[in-house]
Short mmCIF file of all heavy atoms in Angstrom, two decimals:
data_model
loop_
_atom_site.label_atom_id
_atom_site.label_comp_id
_atom_site.label_asym_id
_atom_site.label_seq_id
_atom_site.Cartn_x
_atom_site.Cartn_y
_atom_site.Cartn_z
N GLY A 47 11.92 -20.10 7.96
CA GLY A 47 12.77 -20.25 6.77
C GLY A 47 13.19 -21.68 6.49
O GLY A 47 13.84 -21.94 5.48
N VAL A 48 12.84 -22.64 7.37
CA VAL A 48 13.26 -24.03 7.15
C VAL A 48 12.36 -24.69 6.10
O VAL A 48 11.14 -24.53 6.12
CB VAL A 48 13.19 -24.83 8.48
CG1 VAL A 48 13.53 -26.31 8.24
CG2 VAL A 48 14.15 -24.24 9.51
N TRP A 49 13.01 -25.39 5.14
CA TRP A 49 12.26 -26.09 4.08
C TRP A 49 11.99 -27.52 4.53
O TRP A 49 12.90 -28.20 4.99
CB TRP A 49 13.08 -26.15 2.78
CG TRP A 49 13.37 -24.81 2.13
CD1 TRP A 49 13.46 -23.59 2.74
CD2 TRP A 49 13.62 -24.59 0.73
NE1 TRP A 49 13.75 -22.62 1.82
CE2 TRP A 49 13.86 -23.20 0.59
CE3 TRP A 49 13.67 -25.41 -0.39
CZ2 TRP A 49 14.14 -22.62 -0.66
CZ3 TRP A 49 13.97 -24.82 -1.62
CH2 TRP A 49 14.18 -23.45 -1.75
N ARG A 50 10.75 -27.99 4.35
CA ARG A 50 10.42 -29.37 4.74
C ARG A 50 9.62 -30.07 3.65
O ARG A 50 8.72 -29.48 3.05
CB ARG A 50 9.60 -29.39 6.03
CG ARG A 50 10.40 -29.01 7.26
CD ARG A 50 9.64 -29.28 8.55
NE ARG A 50 10.45 -28.90 9.71
CZ ARG A 50 10.59 -27.66 10.16
NH1 ARG A 50 9.96 -26.68 9.55
NH2 ARG A 50 11.36 -27.40 11.19
N ARG A 51 10.00 -31.33 3.43
CA ARG A 51 9.22 -32.18 2.52
C ARG A 51 8.75 -33.37 3.35
O ARG A 51 9.58 -34.04 3.96
CB ARG A 51 10.14 -32.64 1.38
CG ARG A 51 9.51 -33.65 0.46
CD ARG A 51 10.48 -33.94 -0.69
NE ARG A 51 9.99 -35.01 -1.52
CZ ARG A 51 10.60 -35.46 -2.60
NH1 ARG A 51 11.75 -34.91 -2.99
NH2 ARG A 51 10.09 -36.44 -3.32
N ASP A 52 7.46 -33.60 3.40
CA ASP A 52 6.89 -34.64 4.25
C ASP A 52 7.42 -34.55 5.68
O ASP A 52 7.75 -35.57 6.30
CB ASP A 52 7.22 -36.04 3.70
CG ASP A 52 6.58 -36.27 2.33
OD1 ASP A 52 5.49 -35.72 2.10
OD2 ASP A 52 7.21 -36.97 1.51
N GLY A 53 7.53 -33.34 6.18
CA GLY A 53 7.96 -33.15 7.57
C GLY A 53 9.47 -33.24 7.78
O GLY A 53 9.97 -32.87 8.84
N GLU A 54 10.20 -33.70 6.77
CA GLU A 54 11.67 -33.85 6.89
C GLU A 54 12.36 -32.60 6.33
O GLU A 54 11.98 -32.12 5.26
CB GLU A 54 12.15 -35.04 6.05
CG GLU A 54 11.63 -36.39 6.47
CD GLU A 54 12.34 -36.90 7.71
OE1 GLU A 54 13.58 -36.71 7.78
OE2 GLU A 54 11.65 -37.44 8.59
N GLU A 55 13.38 -32.14 7.02
CA GLU A 55 14.11 -30.97 6.51
C GLU A 55 14.80 -31.30 5.18
O GLU A 55 15.34 -32.39 5.01
CB GLU A 55 15.15 -30.51 7.54
CG GLU A 55 14.48 -29.87 8.74
CD GLU A 55 15.45 -29.29 9.75
OE1 GLU A 55 16.65 -29.13 9.41
OE2 GLU A 55 15.00 -28.99 10.86
N VAL A 56 14.73 -30.34 4.27
CA VAL A 56 15.33 -30.54 2.94
C VAL A 56 16.78 -30.09 2.98
O VAL A 56 17.08 -29.00 3.46
CB VAL A 56 14.55 -29.71 1.89
CG1 VAL A 56 15.23 -29.77 0.53
CG2 VAL A 56 13.11 -30.17 1.80
N ALA A 57 17.69 -30.95 2.51
CA ALA A 57 19.10 -30.57 2.43
C ALA A 57 19.46 -30.35 0.96
O ALA A 57 18.98 -31.08 0.09
CB ALA A 57 19.96 -31.69 3.01
N VAL A 58 20.26 -29.33 0.68
CA VAL A 58 20.64 -29.07 -0.71
C VAL A 58 22.16 -28.98 -0.85
O VAL A 58 22.86 -28.61 0.09
CB VAL A 58 20.01 -27.77 -1.26
CG1 VAL A 58 18.50 -27.88 -1.34
CG2 VAL A 58 20.42 -26.56 -0.43
N THR A 59 22.62 -29.35 -2.05
CA THR A 59 24.03 -29.19 -2.40
C THR A 59 24.08 -28.33 -3.66
O THR A 59 23.43 -28.68 -4.65
CB THR A 59 24.66 -30.58 -2.71
OG1 THR A 59 24.42 -31.43 -1.60
CG2 THR A 59 26.14 -30.46 -2.99
N PRO A 60 24.81 -27.20 -3.63
CA PRO A 60 24.88 -26.37 -4.83
C PRO A 60 25.30 -27.19 -6.05
O PRO A 60 26.19 -28.04 -5.97
CB PRO A 60 25.94 -25.33 -4.47
CG PRO A 60 25.88 -25.24 -2.98
CD PRO A 60 25.55 -26.63 -2.51
N GLY A 61 24.61 -26.96 -7.16
CA GLY A 61 24.95 -27.67 -8.40
C GLY A 61 24.29 -29.03 -8.54
O GLY A 61 24.42 -29.68 -9.58
N ARG A 62 23.58 -29.44 -7.52
CA ARG A 62 23.02 -30.80 -7.52
C ARG A 62 21.49 -30.83 -7.60
O ARG A 62 20.87 -31.83 -7.26
CB ARG A 62 23.45 -31.55 -6.26
CG ARG A 62 24.93 -31.86 -6.23
CD ARG A 62 25.19 -33.26 -6.80
NE ARG A 62 26.58 -33.61 -6.68
CZ ARG A 62 27.42 -33.67 -7.70
NH1 ARG A 62 27.03 -33.41 -8.93
NH2 ARG A 62 28.68 -34.01 -7.50
N GLY A 63 20.87 -29.71 -8.01
CA GLY A 63 19.42 -29.72 -8.14
C GLY A 63 18.73 -29.74 -6.79
O GLY A 63 19.36 -29.51 -5.75
N LEU A 64 17.42 -30.03 -6.82
CA LEU A 64 16.64 -30.04 -5.58
C LEU A 64 15.93 -31.38 -5.45
O LEU A 64 14.94 -31.62 -6.16
CB LEU A 64 15.63 -28.88 -5.59
CG LEU A 64 14.68 -28.80 -4.39
CD1 LEU A 64 15.46 -28.53 -3.10
CD2 LEU A 64 13.65 -27.70 -4.61
N ASP A 65 16.47 -32.24 -4.62
CA ASP A 65 15.78 -33.48 -4.25
C ASP A 65 15.30 -34.30 -5.45
O ASP A 65 14.24 -34.92 -5.39
CB ASP A 65 14.56 -33.11 -3.38
CG ASP A 65 14.77 -33.59 -1.94
OD1 ASP A 65 15.89 -33.99 -1.61
OD2 ASP A 65 13.79 -33.57 -1.18
#
Side-chain angles (χ1 to χ4, degrees):
V48 176
W49 295 27
R50 289 190 180 81
R51 173 175 174 179
D52 296 328
E54 297 283 320
E55 289 185 14
V56 174
V58 295
T59 305
R62 292 267 185 252
L64 177 65
D65 249 10

